[in-house]
Amino acid sequence: RIYEWTGNTWDQIGNDVEGEAAGDQSGYAVSMSTDGARLAVGAPFNDGAAGSCFSSGVGSLEVTADTTLNTDQYPYGLNFTSILIAAGATLSATGSKPLILYADTLVDIQGTIDVSGGKGGNSAGDHMSAGGGAGGGAVKIVSAQITVGSSGAIRADGGDGGDAGGYSQSFTASWFTPGDGAAGVGVAGGYGGGAGAGSSQNGNPGSGPGASAGGPYDGGVPPGAGGAGHASAGTDGFGQYTGIRPPGGPAYGDAELSGGLQGGSGAGSGGNDGDNEEGAGGGGSGGTIYLVAPMLQIQGLVSVAGGLGGLDDYHYNGQADREGYNNGGPGSVGRLRLDYETFTEGPFAQGWSF
């Protein structure tokens, strides 16, 4: 409740300010404008089903050029009167917290919101295996109306696994580019992949509840690491040379997002042998996108795709079917929840995954 001192008594102003549900922790953070005309009340565990957990926003957000937000600075979200992501512009994120946006009137996405996981680094070509892809991040958007235009996109895809290969092998693919074997980097709640391993070592695991283990060491050609799990288990890695298929990561969470906004998980890196055969990394799993609006229109792309498994050039030579050989396994798709009263799918909608 909010009270005003009249000179004699404290009189209540307006109605009670109440949380929407038990467990929301409404009132965790409270802020008032300097003129006392506006109050913001934080409820960090509000699921958005009955609307925004903040009061009316202040000002509009217009993203007309590529912009990056650090979500650790806004762990309970950002609130505006309206939000525009202009065509050709991308709003991306750094930080470990999900990207949460509230707007009183309209969120108009003609450009891109992208919290996809980073790709694992390719193997160094000698004594460093390929890194695992990171999981996609988590995004929640709440407004009276959300529009994803025909040129617009919201992406929380998993990162691809790094490719493995190297010179001095019996065959070196023209598509292979040596890298540093770095782990894929997760943003906005997405978990990181495993970093590449040195000579005669097993690969390193990814992170997160659906992470896959690193691929095993093998003295010949190490198999690719499995993909990370999320909505389903990640796909096992492939091992044509050894006959070994490293397992993908487990599934976690549910379609209702009862466990909260969870990003995708990172995949393991490839193992390594004793000379110059390096293993491929697994693909990170897709993240989470949660849209809450009485009026929801999607004409463009809303994607929580899993990352592709990395390639290994010992048996693979650009074939259309990349799921085989000694390649890494792809990551699972992530989670997509849409809460609306009126839904319109435009003629250019490119689809989405639940």
Side-chain angles (χ1 to χ4, degrees):
R1 296 174 182 175
I2 303 172
Y3 293 88
E4 179 182 36
W5 178 249
T6 64
N8 297 306
T9 61
W10 288 99
D11 293 339
Q12 183 174 344
I13 301 175
N15 298 322
D16 291 356
V17 181
E18 299 178 343
E20 293 175 358
D24 283 355
Q25 292 194 13
S26 180
Y28 182 93
V30 178
S31 178
M32 181 175 286
S33 62
T34 55
D35 62 1
R38 192 167 304 220
L39 178 72
V41 180
F45 296 101
N46 180 286
D47 65 5
S52 170
C53 66
F54 289 88
S55 68
S56 296
V58 180
S60 298
L61 173 65
E62 295 187 4
V63 178
T64 58
D66 291 353
T67 302
T68 301
L69 292 175
N70 183 347
T71 60
D72 290 336
Q73 296 179 359
Y74 310 99
Y76 308 120
L78 287 161
N79 190 42
F80 301 93
T81 302
S82 62
I83 298 174
L84 168 66
I85 313 296
T90 297
L91 176 64
S92 56
T94 60
S96 61
K97 306 297 184 183
L99 176 62
I100 304 174
L101 300 172
Y102 299 97
D104 294 334
T105 57
L106 172 66
V107 176
D108 186 9
I109 303 169
Q110 302 299 327
T112 301
I113 295 176
D114 193 349
V115 294
S116 298
K119 181 185 183 300
N122 293 347
S123 75
D126 189 16
H127 299 324
M128 179 58 69
S129 63
V139 179
K140 178 180 178 182
I141 303 174
V142 181
S143 183
Q145 179 178 347
I146 298 174
T147 297
V148 182
S150 59
S151 63
I154 307 174
R155 306 196 71 121
D157 301 328
D160 296 344
D163 298 332
Y167 302 102
S168 300
Q169 297 179 169
S170 59
F171 168 75
T172 299
S174 59
W175 48 258
F176 176 73
T177 301
D180 58 3
V185 177
V187 299
Y191 294 90
S199 178
S200 302
Q201 295 180 6
N202 294 328
N204 294 301
S207 58
S212 59
Y217 157 81
D218 185 84
V221 180
H230 192 173
S232 63
T235 301
D236 296 345
F238 301 93
Q240 179 177 338
Y241 184 92
T242 62
I244 298 171
R245 294 198 61 185
Y252 60 97
D254 56 45
E256 291 73 30
L257 309 183
S258 60
L261 284 174
Q262 295 179 295
S265 293
S269 68
N272 212 331
D273 77 346
D275 47 55
N276 57 5
E277 300 291 351
E278 294 78 35
S285 61
T288 295
I289 297 175
Y290 184 15
L291 305 180
V292 183
M295 297 180 61
L296 178 61
Q297 181 181 47
I298 297 178
Q299 294 179 311
L301 176 67
V302 178
S303 178
V304 288
L308 299 174
L311 305 174
D312 178 84
D313 68 2
Y314 191 86
H315 288 111
Y316 179 80
N317 186 23
Q319 292 89 337
D321 182 8
R322 57 189 292 155
E323 293 193 16
Y325 315 98
N326 304 290
N327 297 341
S332 161
V333 297
R335 302 278 185 186
L336 176 62
R337 176 173 170 176
L338 307 177
D339 290 356
Y340 57 85
E341 296 175 6
T342 302
F343 177 72
T344 303
E345 179 182 350
F348 303 104
Q350 300 175 49
W352 45 87
S353 300
F354 288 93

